């Protein structure tokens, strides 16, 4: 029938993660896609789940073993059935390891940031073997509903456990507003001529971590902004963080909503001092992206945090 339009069926992996959940919501609201959520473990992902699928978003996050095992299951199944589905693979800036300076997509990857970064590198090595994959390497997602780089940071700023870190916070904060990330994912599912591409995703002219903490604290009304000295930061990382992380893990296993204050972990402090800048011009041009201005993003992140309290 002339004019008959068939919506794309998009398989979404990792729907328990907040980014995949946002992608599901955006796909459901679109006029071109029918999302197919999948939140089971890797053994449950089979060729049958890929039948009739036009494209896949692999948004598996969390434990390193889950990231690798889901990638193995997905790309193994795609290869066995000879699929031609586009796969948008969500990776991370952690694949650049402890590298400093400006980084572009062709720079060598490193596994020296621990198990999580190593898992992302391994998962990417599986993705690049599939000719219709598109790999996205986002920076730090912030905005409404972002647990790591907005909600956790907001709690720490409101309690004045975080603020201006002095020299420890002079690293580059490669921020990416969550709506911009979702837009990049949806465009990557459809854009022509990008098979095999890898894209950095982060705003232009990013702030330092001190600048981010200060601006976010002001948006939250958590003023005056605290100055966190080296001695206090060392106490947080060495003495407070280990028991807080243990309590957080126990609460998660018991299925309880967390009442434990967030920890200031060594990985957070190391990142705050890392002088790495993601260059995202390739994604801006290929996907026609424009970044949300930081003041707007912080205002919306602060409003969402206050509204959820």
């Amino acid at each position: 029938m002339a004019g008959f339009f068939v919506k794309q069926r998009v398989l979404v992996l990792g729907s328990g993660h907040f980014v995949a959940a946002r992608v599901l919501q955006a796909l459901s609201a679109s006029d071109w896609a029918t999302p197919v959520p999948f939140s089971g473990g890797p053994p449950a992902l089979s060729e049958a789940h890929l039948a009739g699928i036009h494209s896949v978003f692999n948004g598996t996050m969390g434990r390193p073993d889950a990231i690798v095992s889901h990638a193995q299951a997905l790309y193994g199944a795609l290869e066995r059935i000879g699929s031609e589905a586009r796969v948008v693979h969500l990776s991370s800036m952690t694949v650049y390891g402890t590298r400093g300076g400006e980084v572009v997509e062709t720079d060598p990857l490193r596994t020296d940031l621990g198990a999580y970064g190593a898992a992302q590198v391994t998962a990417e090595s599986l993705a690049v073997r599939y000719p219709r994959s598109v790999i996205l390497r986002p920076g730090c997602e912030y905005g409404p509903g972002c647990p790591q780089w907005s909600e956790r940071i907001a709690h720490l700023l409101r309690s004045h456990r975080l603020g201006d870190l002095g020299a420890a916070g002079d690293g580059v904060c490669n921020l990416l507003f969550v709506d911009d990330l979702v837009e990049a994912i949806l465009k990557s599912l459809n854009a022509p001529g990008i098979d095999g591409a890898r894209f950095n995703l982060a705003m232009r002219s990013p702030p330092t971590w001190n600048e981010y903490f200060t601006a976010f604290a002001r948006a939250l009304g958590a003023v005056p902004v605290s100055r966190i000295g080296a001695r206090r930061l060392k106490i947080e990382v060495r003495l407070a963080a280990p028991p807080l992380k243990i309590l957080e893990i126990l609460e998660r296993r018991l299925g309880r909503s967390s009442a434990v204050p967030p920890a200031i972990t060594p990985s957070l402090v190391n990142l705050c001092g890392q002088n790495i800048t993601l260059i995202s011009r390739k994604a801006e041009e290929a996907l026609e992206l424009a970044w949300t201005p930081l003041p707007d993003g912080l205002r919306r992140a602060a409003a969402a945090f206050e509204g959820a309290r």
Side-chain angles (χ1 to χ4, degrees):
M1 181 184 298
F4 182 72
F5 176 73
V6 178
K7 286 188 174 184
Q8 289 190 34
R9 298 183 73 241
V10 183
L11 182 65
V12 178
L13 306 184
S15 56
H17 184 261
F18 80 99
V19 172
R22 293 284 292 265
V23 170
L24 273 173
Q25 184 180 30
L27 289 170
S28 297
S30 75
D31 59 2
W32 58 270
T34 299
V36 181
F38 180 85
S39 56
L45 180 62
S46 65
E47 292 90 333
H49 292 100
L50 295 165
I53 293 296
H54 298 91
S55 54
V56 180
F57 171 58
N58 181 16
T60 306
M61 292 285 122
R63 301 190 319 274
D65 59 329
I67 292 169
V68 173
S69 58
H70 274 88
Q72 291 171 332
L74 171 62
Y75 296 110
L78 289 166
E79 183 178 2
R80 287 191 295 273
I81 66 173
S83 176
E84 294 185 0
R86 165 76 57 80
V87 176
V88 176
H89 180 98
L90 187 64
S91 184
S92 164
M93 66 175 284
T94 58
V95 297
Y96 294 116
T98 58
R99 182 179 300 278
E102 295 185 345
V103 293
V104 295
E105 292 84 354
T106 53
D107 285 329
L109 307 186
R110 294 183 179 180
T111 59
D112 57 356
L113 269 183
Y116 181 82
Q120 292 288 9
V121 172
T122 299
E124 278 203 23
S125 71
L126 297 168
V128 296
R129 298 174 192 170
Y130 182 69
R132 296 215 63 203
S133 66
V134 177
I135 297 173
L136 304 181
R137 297 170 179 164
C140 300
E141 311 97 342
Y142 80 105
C146 294
Q148 184 80 346
W149 303 116
S150 281
E151 294 178 354
R152 177 177 66 149
I153 299 301
H155 279 292
L156 290 167
L157 291 171
R158 293 280 303 202
S159 62
H160 295 279
R161 293 172 55 212
L162 201 59
D164 187 328
L165 305 183
D170 282 341
V172 178
C173 184
N174 293 277
L175 291 172
L176 174 65
F177 191 65
V178 64
D179 288 359
D180 297 342
L181 173 56
V182 173
E183 181 185 8
I185 292 167
L186 266 61
K187 286 185 172 180
S188 296
L189 289 167
N190 278 318
I194 62 170
D195 287 343
R198 293 162 287 179
F199 294 121
N200 291 339
L201 296 174
M203 65 179 292
R204 285 196 180 192
S205 303
T208 66
W209 283 94
N210 282 333
E211 290 168 342
Y212 172 49
F213 294 152
T214 299
F216 195 15
R218 288 173 177 162
L220 290 162
V223 290
V225 180
S226 300
R227 177 65 184 263
I228 311 297
R231 181 175 179 274
R232 182 174 168 186
L233 197 58
K234 189 177 295 185
I235 291 172
E236 282 276 7
V237 172
R238 294 185 179 180
L239 299 181
L244 288 175
K245 290 300 293 183
I246 292 171
L247 289 173
E248 180 184 319
I249 292 169
L250 288 174
E251 280 198 333
R252 192 183 306 129
R253 289 178 178 175
L254 292 171
R256 298 175 180 173
S257 58
S258 181
V260 177
I264 299 178
T265 60
S267 60
L268 172 59
V269 174
N270 290 338
L271 183 58
C272 288
Q274 188 177 1
N275 187 26
I276 179 174
T277 302
L278 297 186
I279 302 302
S280 303
R281 295 190 191 96
K282 184 178 175 182
E284 292 170 7
E285 296 171 1
L287 302 177
E288 298 181 347
L289 299 174
W291 311 116
T292 298
L294 184 57
D296 293 348
L298 291 177
R299 175 181 51 79
R300 292 166 63 183
F305 179 77
E306 294 300 331
R309 296 182 68 199

